Amino acid sequence: MAYDKFEILKSTAVPLPIENVDTDQIIPARFLKATERKGFGDNLFRDWRYNNDNTPKADFVLNDATYSGKILVGGKNFGSGSSREHAAWAVYDYGFRCVISSFFADIFKGNCLNIGVLPVQVSAEFAEKVFAAIEADPNTEIEVNLPEQKVTLLATGESESFDINGYKKGNMLNGFDDIDYLQNIKKDITAFAEELPL
């Protein structure tokens, strides 16, 4: 399933300064029945966003019109817990293209990279600067530059580099998932197979 190419993202951000956010909080288990990637955004952080009668909780950040954007800034150890890929699907389906945190659970990080959500791991110090900038001005913009592997607070120019697997970086720049990548090199695979001795 191809997704939009990710090159340079400039956006405001939604702050969620909570540590150890696990995948069951991102998408509760009762919503894992579907096998397609669509519709999970409606239930992103469901139990934090809504009361039992389905009315929005006014004190949760996704229900606060002050904050918006395609970047979610999470606390340390974001995406821990079970390996459910639906958590990454929910983040993407809601409209986020990037999650910034000082630490990600490995499986969640991999699931994000597979579907077009860029997990940007920064130092704890830089994460605090990002949270402080958003608190001071919810309209502050962040630039995430994938080719240069750099995230920048545009108001101050403060920036930090981030790491990413080269294969996953190439896929995100092209908007490929693993299947798209193989389809793209199908001729090379066929040519290699033809050269192999029987």
Side-chain angles (χ1 to χ4, degrees):
M1 179 179 173
Y3 47 79
D4 294 337
K5 296 179 181 180
F6 193 117
E7 294 179 353
I8 298 174
L9 173 65
K10 292 181 183 179
S11 177
T12 52
V14 177
L16 188 67
I18 301 172
E19 293 189 358
N20 304 313
V21 174
D22 67 39
T23 53
D24 193 55
Q25 292 160 332
I26 296 171
I27 183 74
R30 64 187 183 277
F31 298 111
L32 305 187
K33 298 174 184 176
T35 55
E36 294 186 7
R37 298 178 186 173
K38 299 177 181 177
F40 287 97
D42 293 340
N43 295 308
L44 177 67
F45 297 115
R46 179 74 191 195
D47 295 335
W48 289 353
R49 282 170 69 191
Y50 296 100
N51 296 301
N52 291 335
D53 62 359
N54 292 325
T55 56
K57 294 182 179 180
D59 60 349
F60 186 61
V61 68
L62 293 190
N63 297 327
D64 186 345
T66 304
Y67 303 103
S68 64
K70 294 185 176 184
I71 300 172
L72 175 65
V73 185
K76 182 180 180 181
N77 196 26
F78 192 89
S80 59
S82 74
S83 61
R84 68 188 66 165
E85 55 190 339
H86 303 72
W89 296 358
V91 170
Y92 182 90
D93 193 59
Y94 185 84
F96 292 119
R97 291 303 312 281
C98 175
V99 182
I100 298 173
S101 174
S102 60
F103 184 80
F104 290 97
D106 285 342
I107 295 176
F108 176 80
K109 185 176 183 179
N111 288 338
C112 283
L113 288 167
N114 287 339
I115 64 159
V117 174
L118 180 61
V120 172
Q121 186 165 318
V122 297
S123 66
E125 293 77 16
F126 191 78
E128 286 304 315
K129 288 180 181 180
V130 173
F131 281 125
I134 297 170
E135 183 178 0
D137 179 10
N139 293 315
T140 193
E141 284 195 315
I142 299 169
E143 178 181 279
V144 181
N145 186 316
L146 179 55
E148 295 185 5
Q149 294 178 216
K150 187 167 70 172
V151 56
T152 304
L153 288 167
L154 293 179
T156 64
E158 294 174 283
S159 66
E160 188 168 288
S161 297
F162 61 89
D163 293 327
I164 184 172
N165 173 279
Y167 165 69
K168 293 298 185 183
K169 178 180 179 179
N171 276 359
M172 290 205 69
L173 288 170
N174 287 292
F176 291 164
D177 63 13
D178 292 332
I179 301 301
D180 298 315
Y181 172 79
L182 291 174
Q183 292 282 9
N184 190 57
I185 61 169
K186 186 176 181 180
K187 290 181 180 178
D188 295 333
I189 295 171
T190 302
F192 177 77
E194 289 174 350
E195 292 175 3
L196 291 175
L198 294 175

